């Protein structure tokens, strides 16, 4: 971790990216950059990062909702609760 960088060693996160394989090397690059940045600050990821491929034709919402079920560590994480009154 770089001097002066945030210490996120107590943070656990999950990451799911959207993209299309037709973009080649930049496919879902946002989730890769996010993952690398959080890991460099000491955070730990739950399971594997998910990636949606628009070229497959599956709706991203459906794939994102199914993704935790295929990741053992994520399937045990309780779903977040909506803020009170929402």
């Amino acid at each position: 971790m770089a001097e002066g960088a945030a210490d996120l060693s107590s943070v656990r996160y999950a990451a799911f990216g959207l993209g299309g394989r037709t973009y080649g090397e930049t496919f879902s690059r946002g989730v890769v950059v996010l993952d690398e940045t959080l890991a460099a600050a000491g955070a730990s990821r739950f399971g594997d990062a998910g990636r949606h491929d628009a070229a497959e034709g599956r709706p991203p919402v459906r794939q994102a909702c199914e993704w935790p079920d295929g990741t053992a560590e994520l399937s045990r994480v309780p779903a977040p609760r909506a803020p009170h009154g929402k």
Side-chain angles (χ1 to χ4, degrees):
M1 190 170 6
E3 186 175 331
D7 176 11
L8 300 180
S9 59
S10 64
V11 173
R12 301 279 321 262
Y13 68 96
F16 185 87
L18 302 175
R21 289 196 187 277
T22 56
Y23 289 95
E25 291 182 24
T26 62
F27 165 59
S28 203
R29 181 74 181 138
V31 76
V32 172
V33 170
L34 174 71
D35 188 45
E36 290 171 348
T37 302
L38 290 173
S44 300
R45 186 181 65 232
F46 284 106
D48 293 328
R51 288 176 153 190
H52 174 261
D53 182 3
E56 292 178 354
R58 293 182 66 203
V61 171
R62 170 176 266 160
Q63 188 171 354
C65 288
E66 294 170 351
W67 161 66
D69 295 336
T71 304
E73 193 173 9
L74 273 175
S75 64
R76 295 187 301 267
V77 176
R81 294 184 181 180
H84 185 67
K86 301 238 176 175

